[in-house]
Coordinates of all heavy atoms in Angstrom, one line a residue:
L1 N 105.5 99.6 100.9 CA 105.9 100.5 99.8 C 107.2 101.1 100.1 O 107.4 101.7 101.0 CB 104.8 101.5 99.5 CG 104.8 102.3 98.2 CD1 104.6 101.3 97.0 CD2 103.7 103.4 98.2
D2 N 108.1 100.9 99.2 CA 109.5 101.3 99.4 C 109.5 102.9 99.6 O 108.7 103.5 98.9 CB 110.4 101.0 98.2 CG 110.7 99.6 98.1 OD1 110.5 98.8 99.1 OD2 111.1 99.1 97.0
A3 N 110.4 103.5 100.4 CA 110.5 104.9 100.5 C 110.7 105.5 99.2 O 111.5 105.1 98.4 CB 111.6 105.2 101.4
G4 N 109.9 106.6 98.9 CA 110.0 107.3 97.6 C 109.1 106.6 96.5 O 109.0 107.3 95.5
A5 N 108.6 105.4 96.7 CA 107.9 104.7 95.7 C 106.4 105.3 95.6 O 106.0 105.7 96.6 CB 107.9 103.2 95.8
A6 N 105.8 105.1 94.4 CA 104.4 105.7 94.3 C 103.5 104.5 94.0 O 103.8 103.5 93.4 CB 104.4 106.6 93.1
F7 N 102.2 104.7 94.4 CA 101.1 103.7 94.1 C 100.3 104.5 92.9 O 99.9 105.6 93.3 CB 100.3 103.4 95.3 CG 99.4 102.2 95.1 CD1 99.8 100.9 95.2 CD2 98.0 102.6 94.7 CE1 98.9 99.9 95.0 CE2 97.1 101.5 94.5 CZ 97.6 100.2 94.6
P8 N 100.0 103.9 92.0 CA 99.4 104.6 90.8 C 97.8 105.1 91.1 O 97.3 104.7 92.1 CB 99.3 103.5 89.6 CG 99.3 102.3 90.3 CD 100.1 102.5 91.6
E9 N 97.5 106.0 90.3 CA 96.1 106.6 90.3 C 95.2 105.4 90.2 O 95.3 104.5 89.4 CB 95.9 107.5 89.0 CG 94.6 108.2 89.0 CD 94.5 109.4 89.9 OE1 95.5 109.9 90.4 OE2 93.3 109.8 90.1
H10 N 94.1 105.5 91.1 CA 93.1 104.5 91.1 C 91.9 105.2 91.8 O 91.9 106.2 92.3 CB 93.5 103.3 92.0 CG 93.9 103.7 93.4 ND1 95.1 104.2 93.7 CD2 93.1 103.6 94.5 CE1 95.2 104.4 95.0 NE2 94.0 104.0 95.6
E11 N 90.6 104.5 91.5 CA 89.4 105.0 92.0 C 88.9 103.9 93.1 O 88.9 102.7 92.8 CB 88.4 105.2 90.9 CG 87.1 105.7 91.4 CD 86.1 106.0 90.3 OE1 86.5 106.0 89.1 OE2 84.9 106.3 90.5
H12 N 88.3 104.4 94.1 CA 87.6 103.6 95.1 C 86.2 103.4 94.8 O 85.4 104.3 94.7 CB 87.8 104.3 96.5 CG 89.2 104.3 97.0 ND1 89.8 103.3 97.7 CD2 90.1 105.3 96.7 CE1 91.0 103.7 97.8 NE2 91.4 104.8 97.3
V13 N 85.9 102.1 94.5 CA 84.4 101.7 94.2 C 83.6 101.8 95.5 O 82.4 102.2 95.4 CB 84.4 100.3 93.7 CG1 83.1 99.9 93.4 CG2 85.3 100.2 92.4
G14 N 84.2 101.6 96.7 CA 83.5 101.7 97.9 C 84.4 102.5 98.9 O 85.6 102.8 98.6
D15 N 83.9 102.7 100.1 CA 84.7 103.4 101.1 C 85.8 102.5 101.6 O 85.8 101.3 101.5 CB 83.8 103.6 102.3 CG 82.7 104.6 102.0 OD1 82.7 105.4 101.1 OD2 81.7 104.7 102.9
E16 N 87.0 103.2 101.9 CA 88.1 102.5 102.2 C 88.8 103.3 103.3 O 89.0 104.5 103.3 CB 89.2 102.4 101.1 CG 90.4 101.6 101.4 CD 91.4 101.6 100.3 OE1 91.0 100.7 99.3 OE2 92.4 102.3 100.2
A17 N 89.3 102.7 104.4 CA 90.1 103.3 105.4 C 91.5 102.7 105.5 O 91.6 101.4 105.3 CB 89.4 103.1 106.8
T18 N 92.5 103.6 105.6 CA 93.9 103.1 105.6 C 94.6 103.6 106.8 O 94.6 104.9 107.1 CB 94.7 103.6 104.4 OG1 94.0 103.1 103.2 CG2 96.1 103.2 104.4
L19 N 95.1 102.7 107.6 CA 95.9 103.1 108.9 C 97.4 102.9 108.5 O 97.8 101.9 108.1 CB 95.5 102.2 110.0 CG 96.4 102.1 111.3 CD1 96.3 103.6 112.0 CD2 96.0 101.1 112.2
V20 N 98.2 104.1 108.7 CA 99.6 103.9 108.5 C 100.3 103.5 109.7 O 100.1 104.0 110.9 CB 100.2 105.3 108.1 CG1 101.7 105.4 108.1 CG2 99.6 105.8 106.8
L21 N 101.1 102.4 109.5 CA 101.8 101.8 110.6 C 103.2 102.3 110.8 O 103.7 102.4 111.9 CB 101.8 100.2 110.5 CG 100.4 99.6 110.4 CD1 100.5 98.1 110.1 CD2 99.6 99.8 111.7
E22 N 103.8 102.6 109.6 CA 105.3 103.0 109.6 C 105.5 103.8 108.3 O 104.9 103.6 107.3 CB 106.2 101.8 109.7 CG 107.7 102.1 109.7 CD 108.5 100.9 109.8 OE1 108.7 100.5 111.0 OE2 109.0 100.4 108.8
G23 N 106.3 104.7 108.4 CA 106.6 105.6 107.3 C 105.5 106.8 107.2 O 104.7 106.9 108.1
V24 N 105.5 107.5 106.1 CA 104.7 108.6 105.9 C 104.0 108.4 104.5 O 104.8 108.3 103.5 CB 105.4 110.0 106.1 CG1 104.4 111.1 105.8 CG2 105.8 110.0 107.5
M25 N 102.7 108.5 104.4 CA 102.0 108.5 103.1 C 101.8 109.9 102.7 O 101.2 110.8 103.4 CB 100.7 107.8 103.3 CG 99.8 107.8 102.0 SD 98.2 107.2 102.3 CE 98.6 105.3 102.3
L26 N 102.2 110.3 101.4 CA 101.9 111.5 100.9 C 100.8 111.4 99.8 O 101.1 110.8 98.8 CB 103.2 112.1 100.2 CG 104.3 112.2 101.1 CD1 105.6 112.6 100.4 CD2 104.1 113.1 102.2
E27 N 99.6 111.7 100.1 CA 98.4 111.6 99.3 C 98.3 112.7 98.3 O 98.6 113.9 98.6 CB 97.2 111.5 100.2 CG 96.0 110.9 99.6 CD 95.1 111.9 99.0 OE1 95.1 113.1 99.5 OE2 94.4 111.7 98.0
S28 N 97.8 112.4 97.1 CA 97.7 113.4 96.0 C 96.9 114.6 96.2 O 97.0 115.6 95.7 CB 97.3 112.7 94.7 OG 96.0 112.1 94.9
G29 N 95.9 114.4 97.2 CA 95.0 115.5 97.6 C 95.7 116.4 98.6 O 95.1 117.4 99.0
G30 N 96.9 116.1 99.1 CA 97.6 117.0 99.9 C 97.7 116.4 101.4 O 98.5 117.1 102.2
A31 N 97.0 115.4 101.7 CA 97.1 114.8 103.0 C 98.5 114.2 103.3 O 99.1 113.5 102.3 CB 96.0 113.8 103.2
V32 N 99.0 114.4 104.4 CA 100.2 113.8 104.9 C 99.8 112.9 106.0 O 99.3 113.4 107.1 CB 101.3 114.8 105.4 CG1 102.5 114.2 105.9 CG2 101.6 115.7 104.2
V33 N 99.9 111.6 105.9 CA 99.4 110.6 106.9 C 100.6 109.9 107.6 O 101.4 109.3 107.0 CB 98.5 109.5 106.2 CG1 97.8 108.7 107.3 CG2 97.4 110.3 105.4
R34 N 100.6 110.0 108.9 CA 101.8 109.6 109.7 C 101.4 108.4 110.4 O 100.2 108.1 110.6 CB 102.3 110.7 110.6 CG 102.9 111.9 109.8 CD 103.3 113.0 110.8 NE 104.0 114.0 110.0 CZ 103.4 115.0 109.3 NH1 102.1 115.0 109.2 NH2 104.2 115.9 108.7
P35 N 102.4 107.6 111.0 CA 102.0 106.4 111.8 C 101.0 106.7 112.9 O 101.1 107.8 113.6 CB 103.4 106.0 112.4 CG 104.4 106.6 111.4 CD 103.8 107.9 110.9
G36 N 100.0 105.8 113.0 CA 98.9 105.9 113.9 C 97.8 106.7 113.4 O 96.7 106.8 114.0
E37 N 97.9 107.4 112.1 CA 96.8 108.1 111.6 C 96.1 107.4 110.6 O 96.7 106.5 109.9 CB 97.3 109.4 111.0 CG 98.0 110.4 112.0 CD 98.5 111.7 111.4 OE1 98.8 111.8 110.3 OE2 98.8 112.6 112.2
T38 N 94.8 107.7 110.3 CA 94.0 107.0 109.3 C 93.5 108.0 108.4 O 93.2 109.2 108.6 CB 92.7 106.4 110.0 OG1 93.2 105.4 111.0 CG2 91.9 105.6 109.1
I39 N 93.4 107.5 107.1 CA 92.8 108.3 106.0 C 91.6 107.5 105.4 O 91.8 106.3 105.2 CB 93.8 108.7 105.0 CG1 93.1 109.7 103.9 CG2 94.5 107.5 104.2 CD1 94.1 110.3 102.9
V40 N 90.5 108.2 105.2 CA 89.3 107.5 104.7 C 89.0 108.1 103.4 O 89.0 109.3 103.1 CB 88.1 107.7 105.6 CG1 86.9 107.1 105.0 CG2 88.4 107.1 107.0
M41 N 89.0 107.2 102.3 CA 88.7 107.6 101.0 C 87.2 107.1 100.7 O 87.0 105.9 100.6 CB 89.7 106.9 100.0 CG 91.2 107.3 100.4 SD 91.6 109.0 100.4 CE 91.2 109.5 98.8
P42 N 86.3 108.1 100.4 CA 85.0 107.6 100.2 C 84.8 107.0 98.8 O 85.6 107.2 97.9 CB 84.2 109.0 100.2 CG 85.1 110.0 100.8 CD 86.4 109.5 100.6
A43 N 83.8 106.3 98.6 CA 83.5 105.7 97.2 C 83.4 106.7 96.2 O 82.9 107.9 96.5 CB 82.1 105.0 97.3
G44 N 83.9 106.4 95.1 CA 84.1 107.4 93.9 C 85.3 108.3 93.9 O 85.5 109.1 93.0
T45 N 86.1 108.2 95.0 CA 87.3 109.1 95.0 C 88.5 108.5 94.3 O 88.7 107.3 94.3 CB 87.8 109.2 96.6 OG1 86.7 109.7 97.4 CG2 89.0 110.0 96.7
A46 N 89.1 109.3 93.5 CA 90.3 108.9 92.7 C 91.5 109.6 93.2 O 91.4 110.8 93.5 CB 90.0 109.2 91.2
H47 N 92.6 109.0 93.4 CA 93.8 109.5 93.9 C 95.0 108.6 93.6 O 94.9 107.5 93.1 CB 93.6 109.9 95.4 CG 93.8 108.7 96.2 ND1 94.5 108.7 97.4 CD2 93.2 107.5 96.2 CE1 94.4 107.5 98.0 NE2 93.6 106.7 97.3
H48 N 96.1 109.1 94.0 CA 97.4 108.4 94.0 C 98.1 108.8 95.2 O 97.8 109.7 95.9 CB 98.1 108.4 92.8 CG 98.7 109.9 92.5 ND1 97.9 110.8 91.9 CD2 99.8 110.5 92.8 CE1 98.6 111.9 91.8 NE2 99.8 111.7 92.3
Y49 N 99.1 108.1 95.6 CA 100.0 108.4 96.8 C 101.4 107.8 96.7 O 101.6 107.1 95.7 CB 99.4 107.9 98.1 CG 99.1 106.5 98.2 CD1 100.1 105.6 98.7 CD2 97.9 106.0 97.8 CE1 99.9 104.3 98.8 CE2 97.7 104.5 97.9 CZ 98.7 103.7 98.4 OH 98.4 102.4 98.5
R50 N 102.2 108.3 97.5 CA 103.6 107.9 97.5 C 104.1 107.8 99.0 O 103.5 108.4 99.8 CB 104.5 108.6 96.6 CG 104.7 110.0 97.0 CD 105.6 110.8 96.0 NE 105.9 112.1 96.4 CZ 107.0 112.6 97.1 NH1 107.9 111.7 97.3 NH2 107.1 113.8 97.3
A51 N 105.2 107.0 99.1 CA 105.8 107.0 100.4 C 106.8 108.2 100.5 O 107.5 108.4 99.4 CB 106.6 105.6 100.6
A52 N 106.9 108.8 101.6 CA 107.9 109.9 101.8 C 109.3 109.3 101.4 O 109.6 108.3 101.8 CB 107.8 110.4 103.2
P53 N 110.1 110.1 100.6 CA 111.4 109.6 100.2 C 112.4 109.6 101.2 O 113.4 108.9 101.0 CB 111.7 110.6 99.1 CG 111.0 111.9 99.4 CD 109.7 111.4 100.1
D54 N 112.3 110.4 102.3 CA 113.3 110.5 103.3 C 113.1 109.7 104.6 O 113.7 110.0 105.6 CB 113.6 111.9 103.6 CG 112.4 112.6 104.1 OD1 111.3 112.0 104.0 OD2 112.4 113.8 104.5
G55 N 112.3 108.7 104.5 CA 112.0 108.0 105.8 C 112.0 106.5 105.5 O 112.4 106.0 104.5
P56 N 111.5 105.7 106.5 CA 111.4 104.3 106.3 C 110.3 104.0 105.3 O 109.5 104.7 104.9 CB 110.9 103.8 107.7 CG 110.2 105.0 108.3 CD 110.9 106.2 107.8
D57 N 110.3 102.7 104.9 CA 109.3 102.2 104.0 C 107.9 102.4 104.5 O 107.7 102.4 105.7 CB 109.5 100.7 103.6 CG 110.8 100.4 102.9 OD1 111.4 101.4 102.3 OD2 111.1 99.3 102.7
L58 N 106.9 102.6 103.6 CA 105.6 102.8 104.1 C 104.9 101.4 104.3 O 104.8 100.6 103.4 CB 104.8 103.6 103.0 CG 103.3 103.9 103.2 CD1 103.1 104.7 104.5 CD2 102.7 104.6 102.1
L59 N 104.4 101.3 105.5 CA 103.7 100.1 105.9 C 102.3 100.5 106.3 O 102.2 101.3 107.3 CB 104.5 99.3 107.0 CG 103.8 98.1 107.6 CD1 103.7 97.0 106.5 CD2 104.6 97.5 108.8
F60 N 101.3 99.9 105.8 CA 99.9 100.3 106.1 C 99.0 99.2 106.1 O 99.2 98.1 105.5 CB 99.4 101.4 105.2 CG 99.6 101.1 103.7 CD1 98.5 100.6 103.0 CD2 100.7 101.3 103.0 CE1 98.6 100.3 101.7 CE2 100.9 101.1 101.7 CZ 99.8 100.6 101.0
F61 N 97.8 99.4 106.7 CA 96.8 98.4 106.8 C 95.5 99.0 106.2 O 95.1 100.1 106.5 CB 96.5 98.0 108.2 CG 95.5 97.0 108.5 CD1 95.7 95.7 108.2 CD2 94.2 97.4 108.9 CE1 94.7 94.7 108.4 CE2 93.2 96.4 109.2 CZ 93.4 95.1 108.8
V62 N 94.9 98.3 105.2 CA 93.7 98.8 104.5 C 92.5 98.0 104.9 O 92.5 96.7 104.8 CB 93.9 98.8 103.0 CG1 92.7 99.1 102.2 CG2 95.1 99.6 102.6
V63 N 91.4 98.7 105.2 CA 90.1 98.0 105.2 C 89.2 98.5 104.2 O 88.9 99.6 104.1 CB 89.4 98.3 106.7 CG1 88.0 97.7 106.7 CG2 90.3 97.8 107.8
A64 N 88.8 97.6 103.2 CA 87.9 97.9 102.1 C 86.8 96.8 102.0 O 87.1 95.6 102.2 CB 88.7 98.1 101.0
K65 N 85.6 97.2 101.6 CA 84.5 96.2 101.5 C 84.3 95.9 100.0 O 83.6 95.0 99.7 CB 83.3 96.8 102.1 CG 83.3 96.7 103.5 CD 82.0 97.2 104.2 CE 82.1 97.2 105.7 NZ 80.8 97.5 106.3
T66 N 84.9 96.8 99.1 CA 84.7 96.5 97.7 C 86.0 96.6 96.9 O 87.0 96.0 97.5 CB 83.7 97.6 97.1 OG1 84.3 98.9 97.4 CG2 82.3 97.4 97.7
A67 N 86.1 97.2 95.8 CA 87.2 97.1 94.9 C 87.8 98.5 94.7 O 87.2 99.5 95.0 CB 86.8 96.6 93.6
I68 N 89.0 98.5 94.1 CA 89.6 99.7 93.5 C 89.8 99.5 92.0 O 90.1 98.3 91.6 CB 90.9 100.2 94.2 CG1 92.0 99.1 94.1 CG2 90.7 100.7 95.6 CD1 93.3 99.6 94.6
G69 N 89.6 100.5 91.2 CA 89.7 100.3 89.8 C 90.9 101.2 89.3 O 91.1 102.3 89.8
F70 N 91.6 100.7 88.3 CA 92.7 101.5 87.7 C 92.3 101.9 86.3 O 91.7 101.2 85.5 CB 94.0 100.5 87.6 CG 94.5 100.2 89.0 CD1 94.1 99.0 89.6 CD2 95.4 101.0 89.6 CE1 94.6 98.6 90.8 CE2 95.9 100.6 90.9 CZ 95.5 99.4 91.5
P71 N 92.6 103.2 85.9 CA 92.3 103.6 84.5 C 92.8 102.7 83.5 O 94.0 102.3 83.4 CB 93.0 104.9 84.5 CG 93.2 105.4 85.8 CD 93.4 104.1 86.6
G72 N 91.9 102.2 82.6 CA 92.3 101.2 81.5 C 92.7 99.8 82.0 O 93.2 99.0 81.3
G73 N 92.5 99.5 83.3 CA 92.9 98.2 83.7 C 91.9 97.6 84.6 O 90.7 98.1 84.8
P74 N 92.1 96.4 85.2 CA 91.1 95.6 85.9 C 90.9 96.3 87.3 O 91.8 97.0 87.8 CB 91.7 94.3 86.1 CG 93.2 94.5 86.0 CD 93.4 95.6 85.1
A75 N 89.9 95.9 87.9 CA 89.5 96.3 89.3 C 90.2 95.1 90.2 O 90.2 94.0 89.9 CB 88.1 96.4 89.6
L76 N 90.7 95.7 91.4 CA 91.1 94.7 92.4 C 90.0 94.7 93.5 O 89.6 95.7 94.0 CB 92.4 95.2 93.1 CG 93.7 95.3 92.2 CD1 94.9 95.8 93.1 CD2 94.1 94.0 91.7
H77 N 89.5 93.5 93.8 CA 88.5 93.3 94.7 C 88.9 92.8 96.1 O 89.8 92.0 96.1 CB 87.5 92.2 94.1 CG 86.8 92.7 92.8 ND1 85.7 93.5 92.8 CD2 87.1 92.5 91.6 CE1 85.4 93.7 91.5 NE2 86.3 93.2 90.7
A78 N 88.2 93.3 97.1 CA 88.4 92.9 98.5 C 87.8 91.5 98.6 O 86.8 91.2 98.0 CB 87.9 93.9 99.4
R79 N 88.4 90.7 99.5 CA 87.9 89.3 99.7 C 86.8 89.5 100.8 O 87.0 90.2 101.7 CB 88.8 88.3 100.1 CG 89.9 88.1 99.0 CD 90.7 86.9 99.4 NE 91.8 86.8 98.4 CZ 91.6 85.9 97.3 NH1 90.6 85.2 97.3 NH2 92.6 85.8 96.6
D80 N 85.7 88.8 100.7 CA 84.7 88.8 101.7 C 85.2 88.1 103.0 O 85.9 87.2 103.0 CB 83.5 88.1 101.2 CG 82.8 88.9 100.1 OD1 83.0 90.0 100.1 OD2 82.1 88.3 99.3

């Protein structure tokens, strides 16, 4: 995700863990996730996030067993 760019509001259908590899994730709930740190979003959690504007692009690895849903749009499903 480009520095300063945002990922839109979405809801987690199942639990999801995200490991930040580079850059900084600014999560809408107030979490600041730095390289080497993990954030876990439980099923039913809705949020959005953005990459910090003054650093490198945000590079992260996501582990999810189910989907995320977007308001008024389709769900994105994890592959088995």
Side-chain angles (χ1 to χ4, degrees):
L1 189 63
D2 292 340
F7 192 85
E9 183 79 15
H10 59 281
E11 181 177 351
H12 294 270
V13 177
D15 295 343
E16 178 181 291
T18 301
L19 169 65
V20 172
L21 302 173
E22 183 175 275
V24 176
M25 176 186 286
L26 305 174
E27 194 269 330
S28 61
V32 177
V33 191
R34 294 177 173 81
E37 297 178 343
T38 301
I39 185 168
V40 175
M41 303 306 295
T45 302
H47 74 136
H48 61 276
Y49 58 87
R50 66 184 180 96
D54 57 350
D57 293 349
L58 177 61
L59 178 63
F60 53 93
F61 180 77
V62 175
V63 176
K65 293 186 178 180
T66 57
I68 59 173
F70 295 93
L76 294 178
H77 295 274
R79 296 191 183 266
D80 293 335

